[in-house]
Amino acid sequence: NAEYMGNIFLQSMSTQIKMLTVVAVVIASLSLCLAAPEQVHLAWNGRYDQMRVTWVTFEDVENSVVRYGLQSMIYTASASATDHTMWLPIWKGRVHDATMTDLIPGKRYFYQVGDGVNWSNEFSFTAKEVRYPIRFAVYGDFGDVNSQSLDMLKQEVADDSIDMILHVGDIAYDLHDKGGEVGDNFMRHIEPVAAAVPYMVCPGNHESAWFFSHYKTRFSGILGDSMMGNSGNNLWYSFDYGNMHIVSISTEHSLIPLTEQHRWLEADLIKANQNRSERPWLIIYGHRPHYCSNRKQIDAEWDCLVEGKWIRQWMEPLFLKYKVDLYLCGHMHSYERLWPIIQDKPVQHDYINPKAPAIVISGSAGCREWLNDNFKPQDWSAFHSSAYGYGHLTVHNNTHLHWEQISVNTSSVIDEFWMTKE
């Protein structure tokens, strides 16, 4: 009858309304999820009263901002962010960069990033100050798969044992894989580390896809306005920190004389040498080594015997001319420490007033390509290991610098050295 049919119609309409409501809630939730900030990481721009912060959303948002203060969940300052994305439509992320200003050196700050509706978790960092010792964690070739060093890095950062991280290329393995999904997962997983201390990087060969677009876009926060050696891009740059001048180079771009990077690097080193009384330590990091003793694997032999020699002819003269103290690199999935070398020959077997840079290869943090475990002993090779781990670089004062290589499997120091200047 009519009443029965009417009830059926009303029940059907009620069910459809409920379904539409559920769909609307799901769409709204998805929208909020896409607008949620993630992949938060810091960068040092050379000013003790500032800190750069970068994060990602997967939807355009208005009023992107960082809010911060000296007490947890009490934010007394804020800074607006700029946002941008890749020039290729293969990754949907939008990157937001902001600078926290008017910081008090040595004080801990708490912060969140978001848009007024969607907020990140709260993170904290200590504003940089000139105090010693200063400790860096140093590693390359660190991926989202087989990330052996991540747990120890998280613990050291949580314990305030690390002031800054230098990731010397080959990031995530690879940032661009699966349309950027691998890079997204890696940046999420390192967030407890990278949102607490500056995460400084250089490009490796695994960042070269699409003209380094993922690298340049995701780490755009490095290009702070006050960066001392701002080259106009984040492929090569430099900064001062305490008594150090630190230079990040790209071994994936030409260093032949008269090329853009070579001109910039020499000008930067000239300027750094004019200020050695204030900043006596001159440290360079890049991805590829110009000396290494890995053998028995085709790519390792090529990297050490062919590419290393080719890079060496352009890098070594600059390093020697401007008295670089230390070159940090990766690329080889192993650890190796070298004596000071000039033209393929060790010039001393200590690091007291070194006549050439100490070279440290720390590429065993853990990635999907596993380890290089074959070496051919060389006169200039002081120590090598295929244990998973990363390095501690500790600068104590103007005359003493200390390096340790940590095995994450045994939580122990497997190699160390002191560099001294008299």
Side-chain angles (χ1 to χ4, degrees), residues 203 211-212 235-236 250-256 259 261 310:
F211 305 100
F212 298 86
L235 296 170
W236 51 84
S250 173
T251 57
E252 312 314 300
H253 294 79
S254 179
L255 279 161
I256 296 174
T259 59
Q261 183 177 197
W310 188 85

Side-chain angles (χ1 to χ4, degrees), residues 34 36-39 54-61 64 82-86 91-97 217:
L34 293 174
E38 58 174 76
Q39 305 178 42
T54 301
W55 65 97
V56 170
T57 63
F58 287 91
E59 186 175 86
D60 289 342
V61 297
S64 191
T82 58
D83 70 285
H84 55 94
T85 190
M86 280 176 52
W91 183 61
K92 303 301 182 183
R94 293 203 67 83
V95 177
H96 309 261
D97 297 316
T217 302

Side-chain angles (χ1 to χ4, degrees), residues 82-342:
T82 58
D83 70 285
H84 55 94
T85 190
M86 280 176 52
W87 58 275
L88 288 167
I90 56 176
W91 183 61
K92 303 301 182 183
R94 293 203 67 83
V95 177
H96 309 261
D97 297 316
T99 304
M100 292 175 273
T101 61
D102 299 318
L103 305 179
I104 302 171
K107 294 292 186 180
R108 178 166 292 279
Y109 283 84
F110 300 85
Y111 73 98
Q112 285 183 311
V113 298
D115 61 5
V117 176
N118 305 281
W119 291 103
S120 69
N121 294 329
E122 182 180 72
F123 303 100
S124 70
F125 67 92
T126 300
K128 298 303 171 195
E129 62 178 337
V130 181
R131 60 109 184 95
Y132 301 95
I134 297 172
R135 175 177 282 183
F136 301 82
V138 183
Y139 51 82
D141 306 84
F142 187 39
D144 193 51
V145 173
N146 193 35
S147 51
Q148 297 273 335
S149 299
L150 184 57
D151 288 342
M152 184 172 284
L153 284 167
K154 286 180 180 179
Q155 188 59 56
E156 289 206 308
V157 169
D159 293 342
D160 288 329
S161 298
I162 301 296
D163 296 296
M164 185 180 293
I165 288 174
L166 306 180
H167 188 153
V168 296
D170 280 8
I171 304 164
Y173 267 78
D174 293 340
L175 290 170
H176 67 276
D177 275 0
K178 298 182 180 178
E181 182 180 337
V182 171
D184 294 332
N185 286 334
F186 177 79
M187 297 305 295
R188 291 176 188 126
H189 292 156
I190 66 164
E191 192 178 63
V193 171
V197 296
Y199 200 89
M200 309 302 284
V201 295
C202 70
N205 53 298
H206 280 263
E207 281 70 71
S208 63
W210 301 108
F211 305 100
F212 298 86
S213 56
H214 273 272
Y215 172 91
K216 290 190 286 188
T217 302
R218 292 175 185 269
F219 296 105
S220 55
I222 285 174
L223 294 177
D225 292 338
S226 58
M227 182 73 72
M228 285 72 57
N230 193 339
S231 60
N233 66 65
N234 57 2
L235 296 170
W236 51 84
Y237 59 93
S238 68
F239 55 94
D240 293 337
Y241 185 19
N243 59 2
M244 295 163 278
H245 184 68
I246 302 174
V247 186
S248 173
I249 64 172
S250 173
T251 57
E252 312 314 300
H253 294 79
S254 179
L255 279 161
I256 296 174
L258 302 181
T259 59
E260 181 183 359
Q261 183 177 197
H262 188 279
R263 290 198 308 269
W264 171 85
L265 177 57
E266 183 157 33
D268 189 80
L269 294 176
I270 289 171
K271 185 176 179 180
N273 268 271
Q274 292 169 348
N275 200 26
R276 291 300 276 267
S277 59
E278 184 178 355
R279 294 187 174 86
W281 296 111
L282 180 52
I283 299 166
I284 296 182
Y285 65 96
H287 181 58
R288 297 175 188 261
H290 52 303
Y291 291 97
C292 54
S293 65
N294 294 71
R295 297 292 189 272
K296 294 187 180 179
Q297 293 161 303
I298 294 175
D299 56 344
E301 290 210 35
W302 176 268
D303 290 337
C304 293
L305 297 178
V306 181
E307 288 187 351
K309 186 175 182 179
W310 188 85
I311 295 171
R312 187 187 314 161
Q313 64 184 317
W314 312 121
M315 284 175 43
E316 190 170 67
L318 285 176
F319 287 9
L320 295 173
K321 181 178 181 179
Y322 297 104
K323 296 179 172 59
V324 173
D325 296 300
L326 183 61
Y327 178 57
L328 305 170
C329 53
H331 194 53
M332 313 313 299
H333 298 171
S334 55
Y335 168 72
E336 187 167 15
R337 170 172 57 88
L338 285 63
W339 298 119
I341 308 168
I342 298 177

Side-chain angles (χ1 to χ4, degrees), residues 292-295 332-339 351 359-362 364 372-387 405 414-416:
C292 54
S293 65
N294 294 71
R295 297 292 189 272
M332 313 313 299
H333 298 171
S334 55
Y335 168 72
E336 187 167 15
R337 170 172 57 88
L338 285 63
W339 298 119
Y351 305 96
I359 302 168
V360 176
I361 303 166
S362 188
S364 57
N372 300 133
D373 57 2
N374 291 293
F375 301 86
K376 183 177 181 180
Q378 304 292 322
D379 291 343
W380 36 254
S381 182
F383 184 90
H384 56 72
S385 168
S386 57
Q405 181 70 11
I414 60 172
D415 184 45
E416 64 178 315

